[in-house]
């Protein structure tokens, strides 16, 4: 066995070549080669990135991939932590290495699980998230427990985890003596189950019941998981009785959380329930502007590009950030300025989904034209084989290219039954398997409809 540092550089060599062989030379050279292995503390491997930009990119695109590679090489690695060069803890740091069993429990281990970017300062506030933001600030600053629990809920990618981390960071700053545990419900379950397996539920209970602040992210995960839920509920009650702060997040409000016992669900809603609504155009603008300002000065993102992105990518903040990153990375790789038409080109696949509202009417018109039949015939009940084929293909495309339900599609085909539509979809699917000319018809039509 070599020295630990030798092992580390050897591990890193092997991880790099594994990455390159699956992801290709380009991504390897641009994003992975600039990284350096830092230290290993407990199960956490530090990787140093030379710039914040590279760090963000790797974190957004390759973190899971890298973790999987490392875990394949060394199963003891539990997490990867990316830091900007110089920010990594050294081997002689006074921070004790977390032991395997209590990775989440020691206070120092807390920061290993918090994303340094997820702070209040980096959170852009708008109408849709102002209540959640205010509540999050309040619980992190309050001297005494203000509302218990704080329950944050909202759809995916809208900032729940960001706010949870921001609360934890702020508590560390304002009340450094408080013991905080932050973990996902999934981890909570995992730790509970391994405590049972190791016949050591006592220390598990003790650990979670002796904190000042318990934060559990994505509690919907323990829906239907009875024994974990039971344990969670005991912990919950014990902490509430001791006036300790509990902060939870979920993708639904307590009353909509299915798979939870009624008594648990109702208690979850006892404190303050704050929901994060889908983003508005203004908020998206604000988030993009804030992100653009943090880019290196040579990367200028013009205002019209920011507006374009805010207007066209309206799902969630994660996708919005991803889109901006893609445009920026593309510009820096090919050395071009960022423009709207360039963004359109780089994000073609994304924009197609959000941008073009494909309608059943358009599909019908184009299918009639393609198969050279009259639109009125396509919408009729005529059964000649040309007309029936055009109609069935149009039904098939209406189902696969729009989000309309079968009954709705039936109605728009002059009041056909939903079973007729379903039959058409199945029929076209099975016929296309056998007929390459039908496959081609469908491909041409699709392209034409997507514009
Ligand atoms: P959730 O946990 O609700 O699925 P996250 O907290 O992981 O969502 O947010 C997804 C991404 O969007 C993160 O990178 C986060 O920093 C960013 N984000 C979400 N909301 C905001 C906001 N209001 N301001 C700045 N960044 C945000
Ligand atoms: Mg989350």
């Amino acid at each position: 066995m070599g020295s630990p540092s030798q092992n580390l550089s050897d591990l890193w060599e092997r991880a790099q070549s594994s990455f390159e062989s699956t992801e290709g030379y380009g991504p390897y050279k641009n994003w992975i080669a600039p990284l350096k292995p830092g230290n290993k503390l407990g199960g956490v491997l530090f990787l140093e990135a030379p710039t914040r930009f590279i760090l963000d990119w790797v974190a957004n695109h390759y973190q899971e991939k890298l973790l999987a590679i490392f875990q394949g090489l060394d199963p003891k690695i539990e997490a990867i932590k990316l830091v900007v060069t110089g920010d990594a803890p050294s081997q002689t740091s006074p921070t004790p290495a977390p032991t395997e069993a209590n990775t989440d429990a020691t206070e120092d281990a807390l920061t290993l699980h918090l994303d340094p970017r997820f702070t209040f300062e980096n959170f852009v506030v708008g109408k849709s998230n102002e209540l959640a933001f205010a509540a999050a600030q309040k619980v992190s600053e309050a001297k005494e427990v203000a509302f218990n629990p704080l329950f944050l809920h909202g759809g995916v990618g809208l900032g729940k985890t960001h706010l949870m981390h921001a609360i934890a960071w702020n508590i560390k700053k304002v009340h450094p003596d408080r013991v905080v545990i932050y973990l996902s419900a999934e981890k909570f379950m995992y730790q509970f189950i391994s405590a049972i397996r190791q016949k050591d539920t006592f220390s598990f209970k003790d650990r979670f019941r002796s904190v000042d602040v318990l934060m559990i992210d994505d509690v919907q995960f323990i829906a239907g998981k009875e024994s974990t839920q039971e344990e969670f509920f005991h912990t919950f009650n014990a902490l509430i009785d001791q006036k300790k702060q509990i902060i939870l997040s979920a993708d639904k409000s307590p009353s909509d959380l299915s798979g939870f016992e009624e008594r648990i669900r109702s208690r979850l809603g006892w404190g303050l329930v704050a929901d994060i609504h889908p983003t508005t155009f203004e908020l998206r603008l604000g988030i993009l502007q804030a992100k653009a300002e943090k880019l290196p000065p040579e990367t200028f993102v013009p205002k019209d590009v920011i507006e374009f992105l805010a207007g066209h990518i309206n799902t969630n903040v994660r996708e919005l950030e991803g889109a901006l990153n893609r445009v920026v990375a593309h510009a820096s790789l090919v050395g071009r300025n960022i423009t709207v038409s360039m963004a359109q080109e780089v994000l073609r696949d994304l924009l197609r989904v959000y941008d073009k509202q494909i309608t059943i009417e358009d599909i019908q018109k184009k299918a009639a034209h393609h198969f050279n039949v009259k639109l009125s015939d396509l919408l009729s009940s005529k059964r000649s084989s040309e007309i029936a084929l055009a109609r069935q293909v149009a039904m098939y495309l209406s189902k696969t290219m729009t989000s309309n339900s079968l009954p709705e599609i039936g109605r728009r085909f002059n009041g056909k039954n939903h079973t007729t539509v379903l039959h058409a979809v199945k029929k076209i699917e099975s016929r296309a398997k056998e007929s390459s000319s039908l496959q081609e018809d469908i491909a041409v039509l699709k392209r034409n409809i997507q514009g």
Side-chain angles (χ1 to χ4, degrees):
M1 279 255 286
S3 72
S5 66
Q6 226 173 349
N7 286 343
L8 200 58
S9 62
D10 179 51
L11 181 70
W12 179 231
E13 287 286 318
R14 285 192 290 154
Q16 287 184 96
S17 50
S18 161
F19 182 94
E20 188 185 337
S21 68
T22 54
E23 303 295 299
Y25 180 68
Y28 162 71
K29 180 176 144 284
N30 289 318
W31 306 111
I32 305 304
L35 305 179
K36 277 210 211 66
N39 264 318
K40 226 166 84 189
L41 282 183
V44 181
L45 175 70
F46 285 82
L47 289 177
E48 298 183 7
T51 64
R52 159 88 19 208
F53 181 67
I54 292 183
L55 182 149
D56 285 348
W57 183 271
V58 173
N60 284 325
H61 294 84
Y62 299 123
Q63 182 134 5
E64 274 163 32
K65 173 96 208 167
L66 282 174
L67 180 61
I69 290 176
F70 277 114
Q71 286 178 329
L73 297 168
D74 178 356
K76 287 209 207 75
I77 293 178
E78 286 172 12
I80 291 180
K81 180 87 183 161
L82 288 155
V83 290
V84 174
T85 306
D87 292 351
S90 68
Q91 205 80 58
T92 54
S93 145
T95 311
T99 63
E100 219 91 286
N102 67 358
T103 335
D104 289 289
T106 67
E107 222 201 327
D108 290 305
L110 170 69
T111 55
L112 296 177
H113 296 273
L114 297 179
D115 191 314
R117 298 165 301 169
F118 290 1
T119 59
F120 284 135
E121 293 76 40
N122 287 344
F123 193 81
V124 181
V125 185
K127 273 253 164 305
S128 57
N129 59 24
E130 63 188 3
L131 173 66
F133 178 78
Q137 277 199 315
K138 176 94 190 188
V139 286
S140 69
E141 281 161 11
K143 280 214 194 67
E144 276 164 23
V145 171
F147 20 74
N148 218 0
L150 168 61
F151 192 102
L152 300 172
H153 71 94
V156 68
L158 295 180
K160 300 182 296 294
T161 297
H162 187 135
L163 278 181
M164 298 279 271
H165 288 208
I167 294 171
W169 283 123
N170 210 40
I171 294 177
K172 272 187 79 68
K173 199 158 79 193
V174 184
H175 303 291
D177 52 317
R178 290 196 186 161
V179 179
V180 181
I181 289 189
Y182 165 86
L183 81 173
S184 64
E186 187 177 4
K187 266 217 165 134
F188 179 86
M189 181 178 92
Y190 173 76
Q191 296 192 0
F192 176 57
I193 290 171
S194 54
I196 295 177
R197 209 180 300 123
Q198 289 161 20
K199 301 196 169 45
D200 191 14
T201 51
F202 178 80
S203 51
F204 176 89
K205 287 176 203 288
D206 187 48
R207 180 146 61 83
F208 283 101
R209 291 174 201 187
S210 59
V211 298
D212 297 305
V213 184
L214 176 64
M215 310 179 69
I216 301 189
D217 205 351
D218 289 321
V219 293
Q220 76 275 359
F221 184 85
I222 57 170
K225 317 257 168 36
E226 272 169 42
S227 57
T228 303
Q229 223 177 88
E230 192 67 29
E231 182 56 34
F232 164 75
F233 193 49
H234 289 312
T235 306
F236 180 95
N237 288 331
L239 289 174
I240 298 259
D241 285 347
Q242 298 173 54
K243 305 221 172 353
K244 304 295 189 186
Q245 182 72 56
I246 296 174
I247 302 156
L248 305 169
S249 86
D251 63 354
K252 292 188 196 69
S253 72
S255 51
D256 290 338
L257 273 179
S258 53
F260 275 79
E261 270 183 62
E262 178 50 35
R263 65 190 169 121
I264 301 182
R265 235 178 342 160
S266 79
R267 278 213 81 166
L268 294 180
W270 274 12
L272 180 72
V273 177
D275 57 345
I276 307 183
H277 297 278
T279 57
T280 60
F281 177 69
E282 271 118 312
L283 181 64
R284 294 196 293 276
L285 274 185
I287 289 171
L288 288 168
Q289 259 149 11
K291 281 230 98 188
E293 277 163 21
K294 292 216 180 64
L295 294 169
E298 66 273 15
T299 336
F300 175 68
V301 188
K303 199 154 173 281
D304 59 346
V305 172
I306 289 187
E307 281 173 13
F308 174 78
L309 294 176
H312 286 76
I313 298 185
N314 49 21
T315 44
N316 66 50
V317 184
R318 195 172 295 137
E319 301 230 319
L320 193 64
E321 287 182 336
L324 178 67
N325 283 340
R326 254 165 81 180
V327 172
V328 168
H330 184 85
S332 85
L333 289 177
V334 301
R336 272 209 283 151
N337 286 337
I338 298 174
T339 62
V340 170
S341 66
M342 183 249 241
Q344 246 164 344
E345 193 185 306
V346 173
L347 302 174
R348 206 179 316 128
D349 56 332
L350 269 183
L351 295 171
R352 181 159 288 156
V353 181
Y354 303 123
D355 208 19
K356 181 120 204 249
Q357 267 302 339
I358 293 169
T359 64
I360 295 177
E361 284 66 36
D362 191 43
I363 292 174
Q364 291 167 334
K365 234 184 279 165
K366 286 180 170 149
H369 181 79
H370 179 87
F371 289 105
N372 203 16
V373 303
K374 283 199 217 120
L375 181 60
S376 57
D377 285 345
L378 186 143
L379 294 174
S380 72
S381 299
K382 288 187 186 161
R383 288 169 186 276
S384 86
S385 65
E386 267 315 316
I387 294 171
L389 177 67
R391 183 184 304 129
Q392 288 179 334
V393 168
M395 287 178 171
Y396 165 79
L397 292 175
S398 298
K399 186 64 203 147
T400 52
M401 295 181 81
T402 76
S403 52
N404 289 287
S405 65
L406 293 170
E408 176 62 15
I409 295 170
R411 266 194 293 283
R412 311 267 213 99
F413 279 79
N414 222 354
K416 303 271 186 313
N417 194 288
H418 75 273
T419 52
T420 311
V421 183
L422 184 59
H423 174 74
V425 172
K426 286 187 179 158
K427 180 124 189 209
I428 294 303
E429 264 166 3
S430 73
R431 275 185 66 176
K433 275 198 200 117
E434 258 99 64
S435 155
S436 59
S437 83
L438 181 57
Q439 279 169 27
E440 203 166 349
D441 282 327
I442 292 173
V444 169
L445 255 173
K446 266 194 172 171
R447 234 175 290 136
N448 188 356
I449 291 162
Q450 279 162 342

